[in-house]
Amino acid sequence: MNVTEAQVEFIANSLEFHGLQNQAVREDIIDHICTTIEASNHTDFMSAYQEAIQKLGGYENIQQLQTQTRQLLYGKMMVTTVKIQYISGICMLIVFSLGFLFKMFHWPYANMTLLLGIMILVLIYMPLFFYIKYKKSILNYQS
């Protein structure tokens, strides 16, 4: 059975309706479904389409595939972001502790060191903290 352009459009719309949003994954799934339909012995498009979906594990399995793909794509970036967050947190603690120590002994540059520690906290650590929380919530929400 040959698949027409209208049927390919139907498959794309159906997958999008069932929550498949990633364009690259959608194109691969459409290609796989079309290949399965063309290899089937069915003369009716809808029964061949339903069989192809079932061979993929249903719509839920397709959505899980999309979620896993997204997690793999953003995983490396998130690891790098978390490393930067930890490094900035350690730097902030060291600088802030030195500033506190300088302030206790009334040494010079105490105020500047405390201010630098607070700036690292406010400008680097906290934005990364909330960015990571936001990205994790998006990945968990879409899974």
Side-chain angles (χ1 to χ4, degrees):
M1 168 180 209
N2 291 329
V3 180
T4 65
E5 288 295 322
Q7 291 169 338
V8 172
E9 186 70 30
F10 172 79
I11 295 169
N13 290 336
S14 176
L15 291 174
E16 187 174 351
F17 175 76
H18 285 92
L20 190 61
Q21 299 166 348
N22 189 323
Q23 184 67 28
V25 174
R26 188 180 329 138
E27 289 175 3
D28 289 340
I29 297 291
I30 290 170
D31 182 50
H32 186 73
I33 290 173
C34 290
T35 304
T36 305
I37 290 172
E38 289 174 351
S40 73
N41 295 328
H42 294 282
T43 56
D44 180 31
F45 169 74
M46 286 308 291
S47 59
Y49 173 68
Q50 291 302 324
E51 181 183 331
I53 292 293
Q54 292 308 315
K55 282 185 178 180
L56 285 173
Y59 293 110
E60 290 179 15
N61 194 23
I62 293 171
Q63 289 175 349
Q64 288 176 353
L65 178 67
Q66 174 180 259
T67 302
Q68 291 170 352
T69 303
R70 185 180 299 115
Q71 288 174 345
L72 288 173
L73 289 174
Y74 295 116
K76 187 174 182 179
M77 180 189 66
M78 289 302 291
V79 167
T80 304
T81 307
V82 169
K83 284 181 183 178
I84 293 171
Q85 180 193 17
Y86 285 139
I87 290 170
S88 67
I90 290 170
C91 290
M92 182 264 309
L93 286 174
I94 290 171
V95 170
F96 194 75
S97 297
L98 283 175
F100 186 69
L101 182 69
F102 281 27
K103 194 70 167 172
M104 279 182 21
F105 290 109
H106 301 288
W107 290 345
Y109 305 111
N111 290 335
M112 184 173 44
T113 312
L114 283 173
L115 183 62
L116 181 62
I118 292 171
M119 285 175 53
I120 292 172
L121 173 72
V122 171
L123 297 177
I124 299 172
Y125 184 81
M126 292 305 289
L128 285 174
F129 175 79
F130 289 117
Y131 175 76
I132 291 169
K133 288 278 191 189
Y134 173 72
K135 282 295 188 182
K136 283 183 181 177
S137 70
I138 287 176
L139 289 175
N140 290 337
Y141 174 72
Q142 293 175 349
S143 59

